Amino acid sequence: MDAATPIGIVLGFIVIIVANIMEGGHPGSLFLLPPMLLVFGTTILVTVAGGTMVDAKTAVKSIKRAFTGKVQPASDLVPAIVSLAERARREGLLALEDGLREIDDPFLVKGVTMAIDGTDPEELREILEAEVHAKKAEDRQAAKFFADAGGYSPTIGIIGTVMGLVHVLENLSTPEKLGPLIAGAFVATLWGVLSANVLWLPLSNRLRRLGALEAARMELTIEGVSAIQSGSNPRLVAEKLRSLLPSDQQTVEEAA
């Protein structure tokens, strides 16, 4: 589990509450049910309205992934792929079948299995690249859902504030009520802006980042499977795969 998202979001809310207390405010004044219901409820509903129910279900499933998901770096695959390339060069592709049991990456196992089955190299690449394309599209849609929510929520917060100010104007004859009413009206704007920048947009960016890391790992796998299938020299396979890694991972891989 990569705890970056839960740590960032939870501590972000805590810092805001602590800052409010330090300024003399009371946390209870921020947690008002009507503006929170308006902002969160309407934001989610209009975001759903902008897509399909399938998009909404995908977004709900992706929340757990955003908070707890972890992608292994692509560099972790290099030793396994090089080992497979060495064995394939010595003993042939059929000899790799037993070694697949020790690999816990389903995409790599699928690619090598198809190579063992004699799939045409071009068709194999097309099939694997299509799977990567589909994965990218799914990740983009999940990230877009939360990015859209981050776009809607500040405006919905303003709507809540306008509604609150209408009630303020209705009670001008009772000055003792104006303070709490005005404060309550602006809480809606607070939650609209806060939820967008501390919750929805970070979730969108997190899913986008996880998707990019997974896609990079899958793309490296495709190059590795193609090299294994073509019987490339394991040293050249290792160099080619390292060249696809970010510079920091190249350093770690070479040291290993």
Side-chain angles (χ1 to χ4, degrees), residues 157-195:
I158 294 173
I159 292 173
T161 295
V162 172
M163 291 171 57
L165 292 177
V166 170
H167 294 307
V168 170
L169 295 176
E170 291 175 344
N171 290 272
L172 290 178
S173 59
T174 54
E176 67 277 5
K177 295 183 179 180
L178 295 182
L181 286 174
I182 293 173
F186 282 100
V187 167
T189 295
L190 170 67
W191 278 107
V193 176
L194 186 153
S195 63

Side-chain angles (χ1 to χ4, degrees), residues 165-241:
L165 292 177
V166 170
H167 294 307
V168 170
L169 295 176
E170 291 175 344
N171 290 272
L172 290 178
S173 59
T174 54
E176 67 277 5
K177 295 183 179 180
L178 295 182
L181 286 174
I182 293 173
F186 282 100
V187 167
T189 295
L190 170 67
W191 278 107
V193 176
L194 186 153
S195 63
N197 292 280
V198 183
L199 182 62
W200 304 126
L201 294 179
L203 286 178
S204 174
N205 290 332
R206 166 72 166 184
L207 291 173
R208 191 178 294 113
R209 177 58 176 159
L210 288 177
L213 291 173
E214 289 176 351
R217 184 179 174 93
M218 295 171 77
E219 288 167 352
L220 182 140
T221 298
I222 293 175
E223 296 303 325
V225 171
S226 296
I228 292 172
Q229 190 176 29
S230 64
S232 298
N233 186 302
R235 289 180 180 273
L236 296 179
V237 173
E239 290 299 324
K240 181 177 182 180
L241 297 183

Side-chain angles (χ1 to χ4, degrees), residues 63-199:
I63 292 176
K64 179 179 179 180
R65 175 169 169 250
F67 277 96
T68 63
K70 181 180 180 181
V71 178
Q72 296 297 328
S75 59
D76 288 358
L77 285 176
V78 175
I81 294 174
V82 172
S83 176
L84 291 172
E86 290 174 346
R87 187 169 182 181
R89 192 172 174 85
R90 290 195 314 265
E91 306 173 31
L93 285 174
L94 292 178
L96 302 182
E97 195 165 3
D98 294 337
L100 293 180
R101 300 189 185 96
E102 302 173 1
I103 298 176
D104 60 358
D105 187 285
F107 191 66
L108 175 57
V109 171
K110 177 179 180 178
V112 175
T113 300
M114 293 177 66
I116 294 172
D117 292 340
T119 307
D120 180 78
E122 291 186 6
E123 291 183 354
L124 175 56
R125 177 177 283 273
E126 288 176 1
I127 292 171
L128 297 180
E129 287 179 345
E131 188 167 334
V132 174
H133 179 76
K135 182 72 171 60
K136 287 181 177 180
E138 181 181 354
D139 291 338
R140 279 197 303 269
Q141 185 54 48
K144 181 180 181 298
F145 183 92
F146 294 107
D148 289 347
Y152 291 131
S153 59
T155 303
I156 293 171
I158 294 173
I159 292 173
T161 295
V162 172
M163 291 171 57
L165 292 177
V166 170
H167 294 307
V168 170
L169 295 176
E170 291 175 344
N171 290 272
L172 290 178
S173 59
T174 54
E176 67 277 5
K177 295 183 179 180
L178 295 182
L181 286 174
I182 293 173
F186 282 100
V187 167
T189 295
L190 170 67
W191 278 107
V193 176
L194 186 153
S195 63
N197 292 280
V198 183
L199 182 62

